[in-house]
Amino acid sequence: MKETVKTWTVLDILKVTEAAFRERGITNPRLNAELLLADTTGDSRINLYLNFEKPLTENEVSGYRDKVKRRLKFEPLQYIRGKTEFYSLEFRVTPDVLIPRQETEILVEKVLEYIKESGIECPKILEIGTGSGCISIAITANSECNIRAFDVSNEAIKVAELNSAANGTAEKVKFEAKDFFDPEVTFEGFDIIVSNPPYISAQDVPGLNEEVNGYEPYIALTDDGDGLSFYKKIFELYNASQNKPAVFLEIGDGKKEAIVKLLSESDIKNYNIHNDLMNMPRVLEIKGTENI
Ligand code: GLN
């Protein structure tokens, strides 16, 4: 007897997937199911809703199944989709780059506020550890400035360059594959330094959520030490610079005390800590010569 292939409708397949995701403990199971299906059929999410009874082709079903299987193994939605949103812009993401986080948007916001308030015309900015390029691209897309952005990973730089071109900022951001710990790096000539450094300590990595430690690049998460080495080096370069730049750094969860101690050991007093929308300390701002 010939086996009949089940015809799936949009609604049926969404229901089954949602239940499977929920059982696996995936947050927002329905949204995950909808986004993956919309990507597969090339529809918008709204169109899925308008076509609940539409039968899917065999190709669509098998393409969707592959994505669902990956998600059930806790691969992040953003890597499966190959894209995510940050600061209302679209970014391509691959496993070579950290997935941009919503909590990092406040870092962009603080830099943009500073650019406006300081009145520096077209400030020169250095970003350390640019990954997907999201911070530099979001800043340049919303202000007049020139940015140099480093990342130690060649692969990350390729992704960042594609993102910059797609967002129309290629002229203003210069990406460079470079190790920040290279002794020739200085802050001389920069008005602003910005970074969301790898601040998780090596010993905390195994305890992270599987979506993070199973898929995101190790070097983007941790310095393979105590999670403070980037802050230490940034404070050293700040102290060594003649014209002090303003410095904006993301603060990791639970890292505030250690960073404050490091600031005091580095004899840096002119700083503020900004909380995020969840009231967590999130951004360290060190004043530059312009506003000391
Ligand atoms: N700057 C990128 C971001 O904030 C990458 C940061 C990193 O790799 N630690 O998403």
Side-chain angles (χ1 to χ4, degrees), residues 83-111:
K83 63 182 177 184
T84 193
E85 205 186 277
F86 177 81
Y87 217 79
S88 304
L89 299 169
E90 190 174 291
F91 289 89
R92 168 197 177 94
V93 285
T94 72
D96 287 316
V97 300
L98 191 84
I99 297 167
R101 304 296 204 270
Q102 208 190 345
E103 57 266 31
T104 303
E105 291 184 343
I106 183 181
L107 189 61
V108 172
E109 202 111 284
K110 291 293 163 196
V111 173

Side-chain angles (χ1 to χ4, degrees), residues 234-268:
I234 290 169
F235 298 166
E236 264 170 38
L237 291 181
Y238 173 84
N239 279 335
S241 62
Q242 213 147 52
N243 282 308
K244 309 267 181 257
V247 178
F248 293 84
L249 306 176
E250 181 160 317
I251 300 175
D253 290 338
K255 278 276 180 307
K256 181 182 156 184
E257 279 67 35
I259 292 171
V260 166
K261 184 160 170 266
L262 206 55
L263 282 161
S264 136
E265 286 164 6
S266 312
D267 207 22
I268 298 174

Side-chain angles (χ1 to χ4, degrees), residues 86 96-101 104 107 127-136 150-151 156 194-199 217 219-222 250:
F86 177 81
D96 287 316
V97 300
L98 191 84
I99 297 167
R101 304 296 204 270
T104 303
L107 189 61
E127 191 202 352
I128 299 151
T130 193
S132 63
C134 62
I135 295 175
S136 286
F150 295 166
D151 201 288
V194 62
S195 183
N196 173 21
Y199 50 60
I219 54 162
L221 298 170
T222 176
E250 181 160 317

Side-chain angles (χ1 to χ4, degrees), residues 116-277:
K116 248 196 209 146
E117 283 161 16
S118 67
I120 307 172
E121 225 174 278
C122 203
K124 292 193 184 59
I125 304 178
L126 171 66
E127 191 202 352
I128 299 151
T130 193
S132 63
C134 62
I135 295 175
S136 286
I137 293 167
I139 293 172
T140 6
N142 290 284
S143 67
E144 280 309 317
C145 59
N146 282 313
I147 305 195
R148 239 179 113 184
F150 295 166
D151 201 288
V152 70
S153 151
N154 277 306
E155 285 69 32
I157 291 296
K158 284 182 205 148
V159 175
E161 280 172 343
L162 288 173
N163 278 325
S164 194
N167 283 295
T169 60
E171 302 280 293
K172 293 197 286 182
V173 192
K174 192 175 173 302
F175 291 100
E176 217 177 306
K178 193 175 191 62
D179 183 355
F180 172 55
F181 291 87
D182 184 328
E184 77 178 34
V185 174
T186 77
F187 287 173
E188 241 38 90
F190 290 106
D191 302 298
I192 299 172
I193 310 296
V194 62
S195 183
N196 173 21
Y199 50 60
I200 297 168
S201 69
Q203 66 178 37
D204 286 344
V205 172
L208 295 172
N209 184 325
E210 152 115 44
E211 293 198 16
V212 178
N213 76 17
Y215 292 92
E216 295 199 85
Y218 185 78
I219 54 162
L221 298 170
T222 176
D223 59 359
D224 211 13
D226 61 2
L228 293 170
S229 51
F230 279 77
Y231 299 96
K232 263 183 220 159
K233 174 80 177 173
I234 290 169
F235 298 166
E236 264 170 38
L237 291 181
Y238 173 84
N239 279 335
S241 62
Q242 213 147 52
N243 282 308
K244 309 267 181 257
V247 178
F248 293 84
L249 306 176
E250 181 160 317
I251 300 175
D253 290 338
K255 278 276 180 307
K256 181 182 156 184
E257 279 67 35
I259 292 171
V260 166
K261 184 160 170 266
L262 206 55
L263 282 161
S264 136
E265 286 164 6
S266 312
D267 207 22
I268 298 174
K269 300 187 182 78
N270 46 316
Y271 65 85
N272 281 326
I273 287 177
H274 304 283
N275 286 3
D276 63 16
L277 295 173

